[in-house]
């Protein structure tokens, strides 16, 4: 692929990532490249990588805005999710408590390597 064609494909991929909320498989399929090509570009091209990271942040901003909209609409699940993720330092966390009932027994097994028999 020529440099000009690669540059064009990168631009197409960035646009496809934006349209598909940064889902790499879907964007790569639309552009006609392999997912691995995208990840190779991320490794080799710092500008491309920065552009992808910027798009990922825009996607997160969009998702957060959508979450906030749902909270404003009275969605209890969305409210709980926000509190569990961003409200941890205020005590909004779940704790798993494991109880063990009955006797706990342990046994120690001693292993000794076999000795070779001495020839008689």
């Amino acid at each position: 692929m020529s440099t000009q064609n690669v540059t064009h494909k990168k631009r197409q991929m960035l646009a496809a990532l934006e349209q598909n909320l940064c889902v790499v498989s879907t964007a790569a399929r639309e552009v006609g490249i392999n997912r691995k090509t995208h990840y190779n570009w991320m490794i080799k091209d710092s500008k491309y990588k920065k552009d992808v990271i910027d798009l990922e942040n825009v996607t997160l901003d969009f998702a957060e805005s959508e979450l906030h909209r749902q909270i404003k609409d009275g969605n209890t699940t969305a409210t709980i999710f926000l509190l569990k993720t961003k409200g941890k330092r205020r005590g909004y966390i779940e704790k798993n408590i494991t109880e063990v009932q009955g006797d706990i027994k342990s046994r120690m097994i001693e292993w000794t390597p076999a000795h070779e028999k001495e020839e008689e």
Side-chain angles (χ1 to χ4, degrees), residues 104-111:
I104 298 174
K105 297 177 183 177
S106 66
R107 294 187 177 142
M108 183 172 210
I109 300 172
E110 190 173 325
W111 178 79

Side-chain angles (χ1 to χ4, degrees), residues 1-27:
M1 212 182 303
S2 72
T3 305
Q4 214 172 21
N5 195 19
V6 169
T7 302
H8 179 69
K9 285 288 186 186
K10 285 179 184 178
R11 277 195 229 113
Q12 285 182 316
M13 185 62 178
L14 291 169
L17 285 168
E18 185 174 12
Q19 290 298 310
N20 292 289
L21 299 174
C22 290
V23 177
V24 174
S25 296
T26 306

Side-chain angles (χ1 to χ4, degrees), residues 53-113:
I53 290 169
D54 287 347
L55 284 173
E56 289 170 346
N57 284 320
V58 168
T59 299
L60 287 173
D61 289 345
F62 170 76
E64 255 184 342
S65 295
E66 182 63 18
L67 178 64
H68 292 169
R69 186 194 58 74
Q70 289 179 21
I71 290 168
K72 286 177 185 174
D73 289 346
N75 184 320
T76 303
T77 304
T79 302
I80 291 168
F81 179 79
L82 180 75
L83 290 171
K84 283 182 181 180
T85 56
K86 293 206 170 190
K88 287 181 183 179
R89 67 172 188 244
R90 292 187 183 183
Y92 292 99
I93 57 173
E94 288 187 15
K95 295 179 183 177
N96 291 326
I97 299 172
T98 304
E99 290 184 26
V100 177
Q101 296 179 351
D103 294 337
I104 298 174
K105 297 177 183 177
S106 66
R107 294 187 177 142
M108 183 172 210
I109 300 172
E110 190 173 325
W111 178 79
T112 320

Side-chain angles (χ1 to χ4, degrees), residues 22-62:
C22 290
V23 177
V24 174
S25 296
T26 306
R29 195 174 322 110
E30 283 184 12
V31 174
I33 64 167
N34 188 302
R35 294 172 31 117
K36 189 163 176 63
T37 301
H38 162 76
Y39 291 111
N40 286 337
W41 289 342
M42 293 275 291
I43 293 167
K44 295 175 182 173
D45 184 342
S46 60
K47 181 174 177 353
Y48 179 79
K49 181 178 180 177
K50 181 193 171 300
D51 290 345
V52 170
I53 290 169
D54 287 347
L55 284 173
E56 289 170 346
N57 284 320
V58 168
T59 299
L60 287 173
D61 289 345
F62 170 76

